[in-house]
Amino acid sequence: MSGEQELGITESKEHSTGEWYAEVVQKAELADYAPMGGFIVTRPRGYAVWERIQDHLDGWFKDTGVDNAYFPMFIPESYLEREKDIVEGFDPEVAWVTHGGYEELEERLAVRPTSESIITPFIADWVRSHRDLPMRLNQWCSVVRWEATETKPFFRTKEFLWQEGHTAHADEDGAWDETMTRLDQYERLYEDVMAMPALKGRKPEHDKFPGAHTTTTIETLMPDGKSVQAATSHYLGTSFAEAFDITYADEDEEEQTAHTTSWGLSWRSMGALIMLHSDDQGLVLPPTLAPTQVVIVPIWQEDNKDEVLEYAADAAAELDEAGIRVNLDDRDNRNPGFKYNEWELKGVPLRVEVGPNEVEDDELTLVHRPDGENSVESRDDIAATVSEHLDTVYAKLYASAEETLEGEIREADSREEILGTIGQHGGYVKSGWCGDEDCEEPIKDALAAEIVMVPLDRGEEPIHDDCAICGDEAEETAYWAKTY
Ligand SMILES: [Zn+2]
C-alpha cells in the first residue's frame, strides 16, 4: 500500500496549485529538476508530448511555405548590438561565453535569447530581388534567458525549447498576412490539438516584442483564473530590415526595404496543457498528444489467465494495427487497481478492462480518464469504437476548458472595480484604457495583474468612453488578468 501512496498525487489542484503542478510533472514522469537552478531535464514521456506538438505545427508550417533551417546557438556581441531594441530588451537576461578553453575570446558570444540578430543578416544576404520573396525560415531549438526566478517546469526555466519563425516580405500586406497566418495556426493548435479554447489579441504598445511594430498573442485561461501567453506572432515592420539591411530590387529594379515577421511557440504551451486539464489523480492529456492513448488492463485468476491474456493481446494487436497508440499492461507483479492508478497518474486517456466476463460475452469495458465514465462495448470493430471514444474524451476536455473560460470575461469601469473583480474571481476584466502605460501601474502594484491584450483590430471602438484608471478618453479596450 505504501507504494501506491508514493505513486499518487498528494497535493490539491484547487488549494495548492503550484505544488500540485510540480508534483504532477514529476510523478507523471514528464520532467525532473536539473542540478543547476532554473533548468529541467525533459523525460521521455514529456518529450513525446512536445514531439507531437512539433509534428502538428511543423506540418502546417511546411504546408504554408516555411522551410526549416538551423543557426548557431552563439551570437557575436556586435551582431546583437545591431538592433538596439533587442539589446535593451534582452540584455539583463543574456548568458555570455567569454572563454573558449583557456583562451579569452576577442569578442563575447551571447547564448541566443532569440535569433533575430543571427538569422536576419543571412536573410539580408540571401535576398537579392523580389523573386526571392517571401522568404520563410523556421528553426526548432532552445534559447536561454537568465531570469532569476523560481523554476517552474515548462513555465519558467532559463533554457527552454521552442520554434522561432523568421520571414521577409516585399511589403506590409505580405508581412501582415504572414503574422496572421501563424497566429491562426497557433490558435488551431490550441483548439484542435490541445483541447484549449484560446483568445487572440494584440499586446499593448509598451509590452510589444522589442523592436516590433505589432505583437499579436494567443492567451489561454488557467483554472486558477490566471492567463497564459500561449504563443506570439510579431509584425516587425522595417526596423529589423533597416538594421540588418534587407533590401531587394523590385520589378522596376528600384531598391526597396523588406518587411519582416517573427513568431514563436515554446514548451510553455505544454505547461498550460498540463495545468489546465490535469486533476488530483494526476496528468490528463488529450488523445491527440498522449504518448499512450489506450492502456489495456487484463484481470485474471489463475484458472482463466491464459484465455484472458490471449483475448487482451488480440485486442491490443488490432488497435495497434489501426494506428492507435496502445499498451497492454500484462505485468504479473502488479494488481489491476495499482495499474489503474498508475495509468491515471500518467494521463492515458482511455483504459480498456478485460476480465473473464468480457471474454465470455465478446466485449470490452472502456473507461474515460477525465471523468471515469465507463461503458461496455462489443469486441467487433473495436478499433472504430475506440477511436470514437477517444474523440469523445477530446470533446469532454474541450467542453470543460470552455466552461473554465466562459463567464470569466467581465467588465469594469473603475480602478476599484478592476481590482475587486480580478481579486474576487480572477479571469479577464475588460475596461476602457487611454493607452498610457502609467495607468497599468496601480493595478500591477496592487494585484500583480496587467493588461494581457487589447483587441486585434486597431479600429475597434473601446467598450467604454473613458479610461477606467485616469478618466481620460479611452483609446482601446484593455483585457486585464493575472498571468503566469
Ligand atoms: Zn488612463
Side-chain angles (χ1 to χ4, degrees):
M1 279 316 280
S2 67
E4 290 190 30
Q5 295 237 324
E6 267 171 48
L7 187 70
I9 301 296
T10 57
E11 299 285 352
S12 147
K13 181 176 187 178
E14 190 184 346
H15 300 293
S16 49
T17 310
E19 292 78 4
W20 162 85
Y21 174 81
E23 201 181 9
V24 169
V25 165
Q26 278 200 293
K27 289 193 170 168
E29 298 177 354
L30 302 174
D32 260 327
Y33 295 91
M36 318 80 76
F39 292 83
I40 60 168
V41 174
T42 310
R43 300 184 63 173
R45 295 195 79 83
Y47 201 78
V49 175
W50 178 241
E51 279 181 314
R52 288 187 192 286
I53 291 174
Q54 274 187 307
D55 284 349
H56 282 96
L57 266 187
D58 201 61
W60 299 337
F61 290 163
K62 286 171 180 161
D63 285 348
T64 45
V66 180
D67 293 313
N68 283 338
Y70 188 79
F71 289 77
M73 70 186 300
F74 299 126
I75 303 177
E77 185 166 18
S78 55
Y79 275 62
L80 207 62
E81 283 173 346
R82 282 173 70 178
E83 214 296 323
K84 68 170 175 39
D85 293 308
I86 283 275
V87 183
E88 286 169 14
F90 288 101
D91 201 34
E93 301 175 3
V94 173
W96 293 101
V97 176
T98 57
H99 286 74
Y102 300 117
E103 298 284 319
E104 187 169 347
L105 303 180
E106 276 178 35
E107 180 178 7
R108 294 198 295 173
L109 299 175
V111 183
R112 62 182 166 222
T114 179
S115 301
E116 276 77 3
S117 307
I118 187 88
I119 293 181
T120 320
F122 285 90
I123 294 181
D125 227 28
W126 298 336
V127 169
R128 286 281 167 258
S129 97
H130 62 92
R131 280 178 295 272
D132 300 320
L133 295 172
M135 183 173 285
R136 300 185 179 96
L137 301 175
N138 176 64
Q139 75 173 355
W140 292 94
C141 63
S142 74
V143 291
V144 170
R145 296 179 188 172
W146 213 268
E147 294 174 273
T149 49
E150 198 189 336
T151 311
K152 191 179 189 81
F154 308 120
F155 277 107
R156 268 198 311 274
T157 49
K158 290 191 173 84
E159 179 187 23
F160 58 86
L161 296 180
W162 78 346
Q163 59 70 217
E164 48 178 321
H166 300 269
T167 69
H169 306 262
D171 55 26
E172 175 169 354
D173 283 351
W176 182 251
D177 280 352
E178 177 75 17
T179 308
M180 287 299 107
T181 298
R182 303 312 155 200
L183 192 70
D184 290 344
Q185 287 176 340
Y186 293 140
E187 181 187 37
R188 178 179 169 194
L189 180 79
Y190 280 97
E191 301 257 344
D192 296 354
V193 178
M194 303 178 74
M196 298 171 70
L199 298 180
K200 282 195 294 193
R202 181 163 53 83
K203 285 290 170 189
E205 291 299 302
H206 62 265
D207 197 24
K208 291 187 307 192
F209 179 76
H213 175 280
T214 303
T215 287
T216 65
T217 181
I218 297 278
E219 301 281 329
T220 61
L221 189 67
M222 296 294 103
D224 60 358
K226 292 185 187 172
S227 183
V228 174
Q229 179 182 302
T232 48
S233 181
H234 316 286
Y235 167 50
L236 301 172
T238 54
S239 61
F240 283 81
E242 279 160 13
F244 293 98
D245 204 24
I246 310 181
T247 56
Y248 68 94
D250 69 13
E251 284 171 22
D252 305 320
E253 293 298 319
E254 301 278 333
E255 189 178 277
Q256 303 286 351
T257 302
H259 292 245
T260 64
T261 79
S262 67
W263 25 276
L265 175 131
S266 78
W267 70 12
R268 163 181 282 234
S269 56
M270 262 174 75
L273 175 89
I274 298 160
M275 174 81 77
L276 179 62
H277 295 308
S278 302
D279 60 23
D280 287 351
Q281 276 67 56
L283 183 66
V284 174
L285 290 173
T288 38
L289 295 173
T292 306
Q293 294 172 304
V294 179
V295 62
I296 300 183
V297 179
I299 306 150
W300 68 79
Q301 307 293 330
E302 274 317 308
D303 62 341
N304 55 33
K305 180 176 178 182
D306 288 347
E307 51 179 6
V308 168
L309 280 180
E310 192 189 328
Y311 185 87
D314 208 53
E318 195 168 324
L319 293 178
D320 181 59
E321 204 153 294
I324 292 163
R325 300 188 289 278
V326 58
N327 177 18
L328 171 63
D329 187 355
D330 56 3
R331 288 176 293 176
D332 264 328
N333 59 340
R334 296 292 187 208
N335 64 41
F338 182 95
K339 293 177 182 177
Y340 296 172
N341 289 338
E342 179 172 346
W343 295 115
E344 277 177 12
L345 173 69
K346 289 183 176 166
V348 176
L350 190 69
R351 179 172 81 231
V352 176
E353 300 172 2
V354 177
N357 292 339
E358 279 85 358
V359 175
E360 189 167 323
D361 299 340
D362 217 15
E363 289 172 342
L364 296 161
T365 298
L366 274 50
V367 185
H368 296 179
R369 166 64 181 89
D371 58 2
E373 184 183 338
N374 64 74
S375 51
V376 178
E377 300 283 2
S378 162
R379 170 68 181 79
D380 296 340
D381 257 345
I382 190 58
T385 307
V386 161
S387 290
E388 281 166 26
H389 278 266
L390 292 175
D391 289 346
T392 305
V393 167
Y394 189 93
K396 280 181 180 177
L397 291 179
Y398 190 89
S400 149
E402 212 172 23
E403 213 178 283
T404 299
L405 182 61
E406 223 164 73
E408 294 298 327
I409 306 175
R410 301 179 177 84
E411 288 187 21
D413 61 7
S414 71
R415 172 185 157 164
E416 288 66 35
E417 209 182 336
I418 295 172
L419 288 172
T421 309
I422 296 180
Q424 192 185 345
H425 305 285
Y428 300 99
V429 171
K430 295 197 286 189
S431 82
W433 175 48
C434 63
D436 190 340
E437 184 179 1
D438 288 345
C439 283
E440 193 184 44
E441 289 306 316
I443 306 293
K444 244 184 178 167
D445 291 345
L447 212 58
E450 60 187 86
I451 300 172
V452 295
M453 63 176 220
V454 295
L456 210 45
D457 177 6
R458 282 177 195 273
E460 195 177 306
E461 284 286 311
I463 55 159
H464 301 133
D465 295 337
D466 304 326
C467 173
I469 309 296
C470 70
D472 287 355
E473 192 184 337
E475 298 283 335
E476 311 248 36
T477 301
Y479 285 69
W480 304 83
K482 291 189 182 183
T483 62
Y484 270 96

